[in-house]
Amino acid sequence: MADLTPQEMASKMLADGFSRSGPIAEALSDPIAETPMVVTLDDLRPYELDPRITRNPLYDEIKASIRERGLDAPPSITRRPGADHYIIRNGGNTRLSILRELWSETKNEHFFRIPCLFRPWPERGEIIALTGHLAENELHGGLTFIERALGVEKARELYEQESGKPLSQSELARRLSGDGYPVQQSHISRMQDTVRYLLPVIPNVLYNGLGRHQVERLAVLRKAAELSWQRCAAGKSLTTDYDTLFNDVLAPFDSQPEAFSVARARDELVGQMADLLGADYNVLELEIDSTEHRQRVVTSAPLTLSDATPDAGKANVGTAPKPQPKPAPAASQGNGAAAQPPAAATDTPSSPSAGQAPTPSPPPEGEATARVQDHIVSPAATTERLQAIQQLVAEQTGDPLPVFADTVLQAIPVQAGGLFPITDIWYIEPGLDSPDRLRIHIAQFAHEIAEEAELTDCIEPLDAGIGFSCKAPQYTAASRPFARMVLTLLHALSVHYDVEQSDQRLSGNLGALLLGADLGDAEAPPRLSDTGLVKLFRLVRLARRRLDLEANPDVTDD
């Protein structure tokens, strides 16, 4: 290489530098892997499709915690391709709103600059983000039924845009489950009915927190009443159609969402239908009730732990093997009925076949959650740590860990035949939950209990009070000790006093009647049969519920 002259060397040193031929990047590209970063409130936006619309019920508690401790769990963030701001990826809109409030109140940089975990925008970003927010909100604070319904409806739109074709409810359930938010197909059907028929009429009631059980009762009522309307309206010239009537009935309830009652809405709907159709109220109500029952049976679905307990899924622990239900012991029944496996209650009036109590059907899908709650008299306190410890012990010993939601419907494994068969002493189905109907059942159970003592003519059904009264017998059968004890017990439960005060003492009779006398006492009167005892327990449960309803007509047994 030839030596450069001083002039050549100076010209090379003074030459222009290399120039870029491509575009100049104005900003760094987003990371391609999960990356911790610090962003400001100016750079971060809430997720626009967040299903939560109402205020988080835990908002104040979360705000107090963040004020004192800061963010224990910083939110995950992401960014759409080409966007100039970050968004919450899955759950965290409430925390972001709280941080904005705290920054506005305190001007503390601690609330303005937020450490976050950035996650790249996935290929199916919108769907993954929406289902992530749905799942996260279920675990923290919960969503109202209408918020879940609207979230699932938006997910359906995104899935249909992705596939380019309409989706069936079963296909939508499959896709939601595949993306981490499992929903039963029957629930999706109720959600779509809610968005289509109920949201335009009673939005305040729904956003006030109307639960799934009540929404499903309303949806089943709407369909059952529509079928009765179509049958009765055939060939008649009416001034309105069913959809208009249903909306007109529900709309006034939206002005006072806290006082909404499905029972009151049902009564108003049946009453206006009876007036317009010229039908008898009681006949129309009975027909609608029968149709509702058939619909619930057809759409029934198995109960899952997540359906039964609001906090299901919060504990990150495994589930022990489910215990298999054991056959119920045979009850001593006067009609010789053999005990069936434990099942849900059906208090529908039906005559049992000879020698055997009817086999009840599984609980309707819309009643499963409420039935679990109805069996909780006082909640048993528990924690995630206690559940984890119990799970570990069960795994080591090999014993199954009982799960209340799985065994509750077999919690009272008894069965008693009669006009109103009993397979669940505690649960009261919605169709029975009114004072008048409760009185009918109470009077029938009192009549069947008195039948054991041959005192059926001493029980008089009433349309007031507990539903029956006792009167003095006209023959000598009541002179038997057992008959006197039975009549005294039934009289003590009633509110009408027609028997002499001297016959109303229970102190020396109640134990022998319920428990029996000593085995060595051959002259002791017989005790109440097992069937009669079950009916007595059921009578007491219904009587207590009747008193609750009359004290507060708007009370629910949910």
Side-chain angles (χ1 to χ4, degrees), residues 386-545:
L386 177 59
Q387 293 173 359
I389 293 174
Q390 291 174 336
Q391 174 66 30
L392 291 175
V393 171
E395 292 176 352
Q396 292 297 323
T397 61
D399 296 329
L401 181 64
V403 179
F404 178 74
D406 295 336
T407 59
V408 61
L409 300 184
Q410 294 92 33
I412 310 176
V414 297
Q415 189 173 79
L419 181 60
F420 303 126
I422 303 171
T423 52
D424 191 321
I425 293 175
W426 190 257
Y427 177 70
I428 299 174
E429 64 179 12
L432 175 60
D433 201 20
S434 68
D436 291 341
R437 294 193 177 187
L438 289 172
R439 288 190 184 98
I440 294 173
H441 282 240
I442 290 170
Q444 179 62 30
F445 290 138
H447 184 275
E448 292 176 6
I449 294 171
E451 189 175 7
E452 292 191 17
E454 300 179 359
L455 296 174
T456 54
D457 60 336
C458 296
I459 305 299
E460 289 187 340
L462 294 176
D463 294 332
I466 195 174
F468 72 92
S469 66
C470 299
K471 65 178 182 179
Q474 301 299 321
Y475 50 91
T476 59
S479 62
R480 294 181 291 109
F482 176 68
R484 288 201 307 271
M485 289 189 293
V486 170
L487 187 60
T488 301
L489 174 61
L490 293 175
H491 174 263
L493 294 174
S494 69
V495 295
H496 297 271
Y497 300 94
D498 301 324
V499 184
E500 296 179 0
Q501 291 289 335
S502 59
D503 291 335
Q504 297 177 27
R505 299 179 57 189
L506 283 175
S507 58
N509 299 332
L510 188 59
L513 179 63
L514 300 182
L515 306 179
D518 294 336
L519 296 178
D521 189 356
E523 299 181 356
R527 66 182 181 183
L528 198 64
S529 70
D530 291 347
T531 300
L533 189 62
V534 171
K535 293 175 181 178
L536 176 64
F537 290 155
R538 182 62 172 171
L539 185 155
V540 172
R541 163 61 173 152
L542 298 184
R544 289 164 61 97
R545 177 59 181 162

Side-chain angles (χ1 to χ4, degrees), residues 11-49:
S11 64
K12 288 183 177 292
M13 294 180 66
L14 295 174
D16 295 335
F18 294 105
S19 60
R20 297 179 61 91
S21 58
I24 299 176
E26 297 180 358
L28 294 175
S29 61
D30 289 332
I32 61 174
E34 293 185 359
T35 305
M37 61 171 58
V38 176
V39 298
T40 67
L41 292 179
D42 293 339
D43 299 326
L44 189 56
R45 303 283 188 277
Y47 178 59
E48 302 89 339
L49 302 181

Side-chain angles (χ1 to χ4, degrees), residues 18 39 68 74 86 106 202 237 285 292 382 397 438 489 520 529:
F18 294 105
V39 298
E68 298 297 327
Y86 299 99
T106 67
I202 51 171
S237 178
E285 183 185 31
E292 284 180 312
T382 186
T397 61
L438 289 172
L489 174 61
S529 70

